[in-house]
Amino acid sequence: MAYTVDFKTVSEVGLTSSPVAPALAGLRANEARYFWNKYKVPFTTEPAAERPELVAYVATILKEKAVVIAAKPLEVAQLEVEGVRWTYVFYEDGLAINVLYTLADGGKRAVGFKLSDGMAVPAELADKFKFARQKSKLAGTIRGSYFVIKGAY
């Protein structure tokens, strides 16, 4: 069942099995606020089990850096705004991965990793990426990193 994320009232809907559910819900709300403020587009997620093709799509792109995420995917989202496809996967351990993929040739294409407040850096990312810190009223301290996508997906 789809859930339109409310960034004014943070809810753990779909994320309750996460040990960092409040922080992960704040991180998801932070993403919803970004899309609303920048594009006036609501951010809607679905259970990952209902959209396994989105989890597989992200996993395929992660192979560029030989990254395989061990955590269970809880929720996914996909939006297309102004010629850019955004795909999100929110994982049980508190990790959120987003793929920014400009549909036109030569546009920006990258994978972003965001770690919920209170979670450890996953072992599969620890030796491959450095994480910068960012403060968020909704999510506390977010640690993030990214890489540029080389292939076509």
Side-chain angles (χ1 to χ4, degrees):
M1 185 169 116
Y3 169 68
T4 300
V5 179
D6 180 357
F7 57 87
K8 293 180 181 166
T9 306
V10 178
S11 171
E12 297 176 16
V13 169
L15 305 174
T16 55
S17 66
S18 173
V20 292
L24 184 56
L27 179 57
R28 180 179 64 182
N30 189 64
E31 299 302 313
R33 181 178 57 196
Y34 170 80
F35 280 99
W36 184 255
N37 288 343
K38 185 162 175 95
Y39 303 111
K40 298 296 183 240
V41 173
F43 189 79
T44 303
T45 62
E46 299 174 77
E50 292 179 11
R51 298 290 306 273
E53 74 278 9
L54 295 182
V55 176
Y57 170 73
V58 171
T60 298
I61 294 171
L62 292 177
K63 288 179 184 174
E64 281 194 10
K65 294 290 184 184
V67 171
V68 176
I69 302 300
K72 176 184 174 185
L74 296 178
E75 289 209 321
V76 296
Q78 190 170 68
L79 312 106
E80 197 172 305
V81 184
E82 296 182 6
V84 178
R85 181 187 313 124
W86 299 80
T87 306
Y88 281 81
V89 180
F90 296 92
Y91 293 89
E92 191 169 46
D93 64 353
L95 174 67
I97 297 178
N98 70 293
V99 176
L100 173 156
Y101 196 90
T102 302
L103 299 174
D105 289 339
K108 291 182 182 180
R109 295 176 176 170
V111 173
F113 301 99
K114 291 184 180 175
L115 308 178
S116 295
D117 203 2
M119 77 170 284
V121 176
E124 55 268 38
L125 303 178
D127 61 343
K128 296 180 180 178
F129 300 97
K130 299 268 188 232
F131 288 85
R133 294 180 186 275
Q134 165 189 344
K135 288 283 192 184
S136 165
K137 287 182 181 178
L138 294 169
T141 300
I142 301 170
R143 289 165 294 156
S145 191
Y146 75 98
F147 72 88
V148 175
I149 296 170
K150 304 277 188 240
Y153 302 95

